[in-house]
Amino acid sequence: MFEIFKEFRFEAAHALDDSAYSHGRYTRLHGHSYRAEVFVCGERTNAGWVLDLGELEALMVAAHDDLDHHFLNEIPELGPPTLENLAYFIWNRLKPQIDGLQKIAVYRDSCGEGCAYYGPQRTNTTTAAKEVAHA
């Protein structure tokens, strides 16, 4: 099994609800430079790759364009513009088109922050039963 990844960057503004630790700074309109990574797992095809990275880049364009230089609070499908919701939003944009989509990671490098989303949790009854038996 192989894992490949490609990243894209976008600039966007947002405002968030206040929290006990923000002291009001999150509620003011502000922007970030974001970096998103898209991870795909699979076996090599006859061509020798999991997925042509050029094809992956082309598939990522729509997600990039939905976010780049936008006010994130105005994107209804996003919800509150947190790192978690950005990762989930990108996942939902790409999953229908990419078999083997494994993970979406979104970073605010200048803040040293990020979030990874691995898709919806799949319950495997055999695995769950084994974990209970070993507990």
Side-chain angles (χ1 to χ4, degrees):
M1 179 73 63
F2 293 89
E3 181 179 65
I4 62 168
F5 71 93
K6 184 130 182 91
E7 71 177 43
F8 67 92
R9 295 174 184 269
F10 61 98
E11 308 292 328
H14 70 160
L16 296 170
D17 290 339
D18 203 10
S19 78
Y21 299 99
S22 75
H23 307 291
R25 70 178 180 212
Y26 299 160
T27 61
R28 295 189 296 267
L29 177 64
H30 62 283
H32 295 283
S33 296
Y34 293 92
R35 178 171 55 94
E37 294 176 328
V38 177
F39 292 80
V40 180
C41 282
E43 295 298 332
R44 290 173 293 170
T45 65
N46 290 337
W49 50 44
V50 173
L51 177 64
D52 179 334
L53 289 169
E55 179 182 355
L56 180 56
E57 181 176 1
L59 293 169
M60 292 166 39
V61 167
H64 171 270
D65 291 350
D66 285 345
L67 299 169
D68 190 43
H69 285 85
H70 283 276
F71 179 44
L72 298 177
N73 296 68
E74 294 178 346
I75 301 173
E77 303 88 19
L78 181 60
T82 61
L83 288 169
E84 294 86 348
N85 283 345
L86 284 165
Y88 184 75
F89 177 86
I90 295 167
W91 176 278
N92 285 332
R93 285 288 190 269
L94 298 178
K95 182 59 179 161
Q97 303 167 321
I98 301 175
D99 290 333
L101 184 62
Q102 183 69 25
K103 175 175 80 170
I104 302 293
V106 179
Y107 304 91
R108 289 191 300 238
D109 291 322
S110 66
C111 302
E113 301 167 340
C115 174
Y117 180 64
Y118 293 87
Q121 293 295 318
R122 293 178 201 94
T123 303
N124 181 327
T125 55
T126 305
T127 302
K130 288 179 185 176
E131 290 173 357
V132 168
H134 292 302

